[in-house]
Amino acid sequence: MGTAVAAAVRGAADLELVAALDSGDDVARLASTGAQVGIDFTVPAATEANVHALIDAGLHAVVGTTGWTDEALERVREHLARAPGLGVLIAPNFALGAVLAMEFAARAARFFESAEVIELHHPDKVDAPSGTARHTAAAIAAARADAGLGPIPDATATGLVGARGADVDGVRVHSVRLRGLVAHEEILFGNPGEQLTIRTDSFDRVSFLPGVLLAVRRVSARPGLTVGLDQLLDL
Ligand SMILES: NC(=O)C1=CN([C@@H]2O[C@H](COP(=O)(O)OP(=O)(O)OC[C@H]3O[C@@H](n4cnc5c(N)ncnc54)[C@H](OP(=O)(O)O)[C@@H]3O)[C@@H](O)[C@H]2O)C=CC1
Ligand SMILES: O=C(O)C1=N[C@H](C(=O)O)C[C@H](O)C1
């Protein structure tokens, strides 16, 4: 993603790529480059430290790296409260189709008794489930709670560990890793006698780039922490 994003910034007439950092490079040196926005696509173990270093260097930040916990997001919020005017946008997915799928899933959730999420990715991905699937499942769970729905029915009492996937706020999430895939997600909703399937497919990493560039252009106008590209779209 770093290579693809750097090329997209270089190709945008209104943006300038002033630096490209790799692991081991010092984020603090960005303070003297004239950079206004830092973009982070790294690894879950590095992203939070990178964001704090970007804020300390006086830059806005756009982050696509996954693995963010509520506690880590809160630490960024607190840091930004001491850096007035700076904005950080963290999005689990910058592809329009994925953003819409998450939105549609959150809207559909209250109408269905059952919901499960299946995410499918390339086998080089280091985290599971995907950030997008976590975000999707959490939004489904929140919508169900708001609507007063109880637990999702599941009579499973015996079997192999892992067979029912991960539990994200009571919603089961299944991760597939398959050579040839890029990034895909299916959200299944069930009621007696019917099913709704919402599916999004990123066949190529170009799908993420317009969303990243949109965030780079808008982040300085949104001081504080913004989570999700949907916050920039008129959904
Ligand atoms: N939000 C979105 O739309 C999208 C999010 N992602 C997420 O973005 C992240 C990156 O994905 P992807 O590019 O496929 O992963 P890759 O594994 O291909 O790339 C990660 C890169 O980060 C580098 N890196 C590791 N630590 C640091 C550090 N401290 N500072 C700078 N660079 C570092 C690695 O370098 P080295 O190899 O030298 O360690 C590597 O080049 C993942 O979390 C992924 O889930 C991906 C696609 C879209
Ligand atoms: O690692 C990836 O490739 C992707 N990561 C993000 C995620 O974990 O949700 C976004 C997209 O699915 C691609």
Side-chain angles (χ1 to χ4, degrees):
M1 281 303 294
T3 305
V5 168
V9 171
R10 264 193 216 98
D14 59 332
L15 301 175
E16 186 187 354
L17 185 75
V18 295
L21 274 56
D22 213 332
S23 49
D25 292 343
D26 185 8
V27 176
R29 81 177 169 85
L30 290 177
S32 59
T33 60
Q36 294 169 308
V37 179
I39 308 172
D40 181 283
F41 279 88
T42 57
V43 289
T47 186
E48 186 188 349
N50 286 344
V51 170
H52 288 294
L54 287 168
I55 297 170
D56 285 336
L59 272 71
H60 307 284
V62 169
V63 181
T65 312
T66 46
W68 286 85
T69 60
D70 289 343
E71 294 73 23
L73 293 174
E74 195 47 42
R75 286 190 287 272
V76 170
R77 236 178 239 116
E78 284 168 10
H79 195 170
L80 284 168
R82 303 190 302 276
L86 284 186
V88 172
L89 185 143
I90 301 175
N93 204 311
F94 284 100
L96 181 61
V99 174
L100 290 175
M102 287 187 269
E103 173 73 17
F104 297 155
R107 288 195 204 176
R110 70 190 168 100
F111 297 105
F112 290 90
E113 197 178 328
S114 295
E116 304 227 354
V117 178
I118 306 168
E119 55 94 342
L120 311 91
H121 279 82
H122 58 89
D124 303 318
K125 184 167 177 57
V126 297
D127 57 319
S130 71
T132 308
R134 279 174 182 251
H135 200 80
T136 307
I140 291 171
R144 288 178 65 92
D146 282 351
L149 297 187
I152 292 172
D154 181 1
T156 310
T158 181
L160 288 180
V161 174
R164 293 288 295 117
D167 181 331
V168 177
D169 300 343
V171 179
R172 292 284 160 181
V173 179
H174 310 270
S175 298
V176 175
R177 296 292 174 263
L178 206 68
R179 185 64 70 202
L181 295 182
V182 178
H184 316 259
E185 183 173 276
E186 244 178 48
I187 306 136
L188 311 179
F189 290 105
N191 266 342
E194 66 167 341
Q195 178 177 320
L196 169 68
T197 303
I198 300 170
R199 181 168 174 120
T200 174
D201 295 279
S202 278
F203 299 114
D204 192 293
R205 288 174 170 241
V206 296
S207 61
F208 304 116
L209 302 179
V212 175
L213 296 186
L214 177 73
V216 169
R217 292 180 178 116
R218 299 267 187 90
V219 67
S220 64
R222 297 184 65 93
L225 177 65
T226 301
V227 177
L229 188 70
D230 54 302
Q231 300 298 314
L232 303 190
L233 307 174
D234 189 21
L235 298 181

